[in-house]
Amino acid sequence: MRKNRLVAPVVKWVGGKRQLLDDLTPLFPKRVASYCEPFLGGGAVLFKLQPNIAYVNDINSELIQMYEVIRDNVDELIIALGEHPNEADHFYSVRDWDRDKEQYRRLTKVQRAARIIYLNKTCYNGLFRVNNAGEFNTPYGHYKNPNIVNAPTLKAVSAYFQKAQVAFSSVDYAQVLANVAKGTFVYLDPPYDPVSDTANFTGYAKGGFDRSEQIRLRQCCDELNRRGIKFMLSNSATDFIKEQFAAYNITIVKAKRAINSNAAKRGQVDEVVVRNYE
């Protein structure tokens, strides 16, 4: 299937790979027919590769539902997005929709998908973050002209989803990896191992992702390797992660850190790209 350059992320996501695509692209397998991504997030790699067959997953069920709405109801979604002004009072009103669980359940899928995109475009730093109750809690961003209704990109992504065989799920990543068929390329972009005690931005879903999860993920990668399935994994270049994946090929790339409470600490940081192939 011919690639469409308009197919690109529709939401900004913490740790998104858009800025690293030039570094990652030479490291992908030469041919990717079947693709699996258990931590989809903003989907930059999926949209770069645009494989004909893809199995994509994210533990954030609202995010996955948003992608399904883009596939099935893109015109309704564009109309719904146009009803949201870039105003602080409206932002906080929409942000608080999930505080009333019963009322939130009555919203349509299109309304909920539009809410995610709207909040993502207008919240501070595009940081999708929830509290322990699973409620969106990022403040208003005060941007002058956020691109709330990016119709060309939404329509291009919808067309890709309809033409390709893209299966969506929202389950534990290990369940996804256990069902990967041989011949499928797996890209893993989990919540990163924090480089410091104050750098843990895993609050995009309840529960977080601690080092026991990093170890469990590495064990899943060992199983993929044993089954002869190619995988690539991105993570922060901490000693812990480098030790966990010491048996594999590790490439260091530079990523720009845009989110830090201390502006002086924003800038380029090392990340690892782990592969079990040359």
Side-chain angles (χ1 to χ4, degrees), residues 9 11 23 40 43 113 119 123 127 134 150 154 188 207-208 212 219 241 247 269:
V11 289
D23 296 297
L40 182 58
L119 292 178
C123 75
L127 174 59
N150 189 346
L154 287 167
L188 301 143
S212 66
Q219 291 169 340
I241 293 297
V269 294

Side-chain angles (χ1 to χ4, degrees), residues 248-265:
Y248 300 103
N249 296 326
I250 294 179
T251 302
I252 303 294
V253 297
K254 295 283 187 182
K256 185 178 180 182
R257 182 182 298 280
I259 298 173
N260 195 303
S261 57
N262 184 345
K265 293 184 179 179

Side-chain angles (χ1 to χ4, degrees), residues 6 21 46 60 75 79 99 137 213 218 240 251-252 267:
L6 288 176
L21 288 175
L46 170 70
N60 188 318
D75 291 330
I79 293 170
R99 271 57 173 175
N137 68 348
E213 284 296 324
R218 191 264 304 155
F240 172 77
T251 302
I252 303 294

